[in-house]
Amino acid sequence: MLEQALQKHFGYTSFRTGQKEVIEQLLAGRDVIALLPTGMGKSMCYQLPAYLLDGPVLIVSPLLSLMQDQVDQLKQFGEKRVVALNSFLTAEQKRYALHFLHQYRFIFASPEMLMQPQVKERLRAIRLGLIVADEAHCISQWGFDFRPDYLRLGEIIPKHNKPPILALSATATQTVLQDIERYLHMQSPFYFLHSVNRPNIHLAKRFFQQKDDKINWILEHVQTTDGPGIIYTQSRSKTETLSMALLERGIAAAAYHAGKEAEDRQFIQQQFLVGKLEWIVATNAFGMGVHKGDIRQVIHEFMPANIANYMQEIGRAGRDGQPAVATLLYADGDEQFSQFIVTEDLPKMQHIEHYLANGDHPMRMLDAGEISETAFRVLHYWMQQESSEAVQKRLQQMEMDKYKAVHEMLQIVQATDCMRERLVNYFGQQLAEKTPNCCQNCGLVFEEILSAKQTVEEPEKILTWQERLQRILLSSLR
Ligand SMILES: [Zn+2]
């Protein structure tokens, strides 16, 4: 039955792991939380039900690029009744889309868009067939201290005739799963939890005394091993200097961070996808919604802020199932800078006082440049939810939680037992079996996993690359 529908609408003859179980439960009207690795057909869990349920499917998506990617995917299957409500729409387009909202089969939107009064009102008038939270860990990961509208998603969930709700993610701890259940108003959901272990990603780590030694190691390593790969680092300026240093050595590399123009980011991502760029040097702004199957390496020049980020970032490697290596670099004292970074954007105690002092016009502190936009958004949300004493306690707790998360990551770095087992346990799961070359602590022979670079780029090519990059830079200045 379901297989026939799958073939009819998508041309596939069989389901992949988890898809059928999830879809059956949704069709029976049950809420579902599905933990499936990215690249294993997570989207099919809502794509097929859209053809079998009455009413549009609403997909809450964290990023524009991710939304666009999924819209394109559906259009490739010949689906025209799909819309993404986002800031790219003109006022006229948005009016039109909202007016005909009930006629779409798929509606994509960010949490912020859903909280706009006219969107909320329009959604209330429609009977949705299914509500989906894609990358649902964002509720927990971003809701409390970055994008509070994630915590308000319950406001768009109807109290009567509630459609089934589906939460999709690749990585969620027990705490995150609880947050998802709570903030999506789920009622005894069905769980499908695939293992978070990715056996074909081999886990390497390297220790250094000086921070500069890490850069030298990367330059040497990238010149002698094959990509494509991603190098994650923590600052925008470092992505630029490192990518330039790689370019000078004949490696087709580019920097990617949120400070670049959208057009440039899109161009760089596209060049990476088609294989014209071998390496991307990025902040953690890069990766979500990037579907490149053959990424062979992910290098962390800097320790990620928490284990969830680390898992998501290394999870971008080896989606084609072929061997890939994730290398974590650590220099003495790196965690101190991590602690500074993770709490930098949180509202501070004095902000609460200023907020109260501004009375009915708290926005003034934003206009006066006393607080960052993110910090204000977070503070404003919590000040409306609870007393200033409670907010004060909450901010202290947030800071402590972030320090704790850095410390948990540091333990992964410093541990002398199996890294993989620790990571899997962190997500409340058990490791079924270990593969050869499991991790640095179990023993890792790099040469058995990745081939050494056979050829070095010709000098002409380097010039071409510099010219091309020059052109990108020039066009963005114009
Ligand atoms: Zn191991």
Side-chain angles (χ1 to χ4, degrees):
M1 257 300 280
L2 275 180
E3 277 82 358
Q4 283 171 351
L6 181 70
Q7 179 141 34
K8 180 179 164 205
H9 296 287
F10 296 94
Y12 299 129
T13 49
S14 63
F15 285 103
R16 302 178 71 174
T17 315
Q19 289 174 343
K20 192 173 178 184
E21 292 89 331
V22 169
I23 293 170
E24 278 172 346
Q25 296 293 327
L26 291 174
L27 295 180
R30 191 159 175 203
D31 295 340
V32 178
I33 295 182
L35 216 62
L36 287 169
T38 310
M40 284 203 33
K42 264 194 299 172
S43 314
M44 188 55 73
C45 295
Y46 66 80
Q47 285 170 339
L48 185 61
Y51 293 90
L52 306 171
L53 289 163
D54 284 332
V57 173
L58 172 69
I59 303 109
V60 186
S61 181
L63 291 182
L64 286 178
S65 57
L66 191 64
M67 255 181 249
Q68 200 48 50
D69 184 67
Q70 279 156 349
V71 168
D72 292 345
Q73 205 185 341
L74 284 164
K75 287 189 171 163
Q76 277 173 11
F77 284 116
E79 181 55 71
K80 290 191 183 69
R81 288 161 58 191
V82 44
V83 67
L85 298 176
N86 59 39
S87 50
F88 289 149
L89 298 180
T90 62
E92 181 60 32
Q93 286 170 330
K94 192 172 159 193
R95 238 193 329 269
Y96 179 90
L98 286 179
H99 186 77
F100 292 104
L101 205 57
H102 58 291
Q103 294 189 3
Y104 289 103
R105 199 187 295 278
F106 297 94
I107 304 164
F108 290 86
S110 68
E112 288 77 12
M113 179 60 77
L114 292 172
M115 291 309 134
Q116 289 186 5
Q118 80 267 38
V119 176
K120 230 160 129 182
E121 194 184 327
R122 188 70 188 99
L123 276 173
R124 231 172 254 145
I126 293 174
R127 186 152 179 194
L128 295 167
L130 173 68
I131 298 175
V132 185
D134 198 10
E135 307 288 347
H137 55 268
C138 292
I139 293 171
S140 194
Q141 206 167 307
W142 283 350
F144 299 96
D145 59 14
F146 180 37
R147 293 172 67 177
D149 283 339
Y150 256 112
L151 302 185
R152 297 174 61 196
L153 287 177
E155 293 175 25
I156 55 146
I157 295 168
K159 292 198 174 54
H160 305 288
N161 293 322
K162 186 183 81 70
I165 297 165
L166 168 65
L168 292 169
S169 176
T171 45
T173 60
Q174 298 299 319
T175 315
V176 172
L177 293 174
Q178 281 164 17
D179 284 338
I180 291 173
E181 250 190 70
R182 176 170 170 210
Y183 286 96
L184 291 179
H185 299 184
M186 287 181 148
Q187 288 151 2
S188 55
F190 170 78
Y191 274 86
F192 186 92
L193 305 179
H194 193 278
S195 171
V196 295
N197 181 34
R198 297 277 305 279
N200 63 317
I201 303 175
H202 303 273
L203 307 169
K205 56 180 176 178
R206 292 274 186 282
F207 293 97
F208 302 88
Q209 306 242 289
Q210 303 291 328
K211 298 190 191 314
D212 286 349
D213 297 342
K214 295 191 290 187
I215 301 296
N216 294 331
W217 183 88
I218 289 175
L219 293 176
E220 168 73 24
H221 178 81
V222 167
Q223 283 181 94
T224 49
T225 58
D226 272 333
I230 309 171
I231 300 166
Y232 281 109
T233 181
Q234 87 284 26
S235 81
R236 293 175 182 183
S237 64
K238 207 178 253 175
T239 65
E240 300 284 357
T241 50
L242 189 50
S243 65
M244 282 313 283
L246 287 171
L247 267 180
E248 281 164 13
R249 285 161 179 79
I251 305 288
Y256 186 107
H257 54 76
K260 274 193 183 317
E261 294 290 329
E263 216 174 300
D264 295 343
R265 273 183 290 168
Q266 213 167 0
F267 179 81
I268 289 164
Q269 184 171 321
Q270 194 55 31
Q271 297 294 301
F272 184 56
L273 287 181
V274 299
K276 295 240 166 93
L277 271 175
E278 192 185 2
W279 287 86
I280 294 270
V281 189
T283 60
N284 61 9
F286 181 78
M288 209 187 261
V290 177
H291 293 300
K292 185 172 169 64
D294 64 347
I295 295 174
R296 298 272 71 85
Q297 297 199 57
V298 171
I299 297 172
H300 279 93
E301 188 269 334
F302 208 83
M303 199 175 90
N306 56 57
I307 293 176
N309 282 9
Y310 176 65
M311 287 295 269
Q312 282 153 25
E313 286 161 9
I314 67 170
R316 285 160 193 149
R319 292 206 178 142
D320 55 6
Q322 298 301 307
V325 180
T327 311
L328 180 57
L329 309 187
Y330 174 82
D332 289 342
D334 273 355
E335 67 277 12
Q336 285 153 21
F337 193 66
S338 288
Q339 290 193 348
F340 167 74
I341 295 253
V342 292
T343 52
E344 200 186 5
D345 236 4
L346 285 180
K348 303 289 180 288
M349 290 306 145
Q350 76 267 21
H351 291 143
I352 298 179
E353 287 163 38
H354 291 191
Y355 186 98
L356 293 169
N358 277 303
D360 291 337
H361 305 283
M363 284 286 275
R364 278 185 197 149
M365 59 194 293
L366 190 59
D367 300 336
E370 292 170 26
I371 187 169
S372 75
E373 216 181 303
T374 304
F376 180 78
R377 193 168 56 218
V378 170
L379 180 62
H380 188 54
Y381 174 79
W382 288 113
M383 289 299 278
Q384 288 175 320
Q385 303 292 320
E386 47 196 34
S387 70
S388 55
E389 290 77 24
V391 175
Q392 199 171 337
K393 276 207 194 97
R394 181 178 289 280
L395 293 181
Q396 282 166 344
Q397 189 60 47
M398 278 181 188
E399 199 170 83
M400 268 155 51
D401 289 348
K402 289 197 176 268
Y403 288 160
K404 184 168 161 248
V406 170
H407 186 71
E408 285 167 346
M409 188 62 222
L410 184 63
Q411 284 181 320
I412 298 286
V413 174
Q414 292 176 335
T416 50
D417 52 3
C418 180
M419 292 170 77
R420 187 178 307 272
E421 201 160 346
R422 276 182 176 255
L423 290 168
V424 170
N425 291 347
Y426 178 78
F427 287 91
Q429 299 182 352
Q430 297 298 318
L431 188 62
E433 59 171 336
K434 275 187 212 174
T435 41
N437 289 309
C438 164
C439 71
Q440 198 75 52
N441 296 340
C442 292
L444 195 60
V445 183
F446 202 84
E447 292 69 28
E448 290 176 12
I449 309 163
L450 284 183
S451 55
K453 228 179 191 54
Q454 298 298 315
T455 53
V456 174
E457 307 272 325
E458 296 293 314
E460 292 87 39
K461 264 195 177 168
I462 302 168
L463 267 180
T464 320
W465 256 103
Q466 285 174 329
E467 280 168 7
R468 274 196 212 170
L469 202 73
Q470 201 87 42
R471 236 174 281 155
I472 308 172
L473 294 173
L474 282 175
S475 73
S476 71
L477 287 174
R478 254 184 263 123

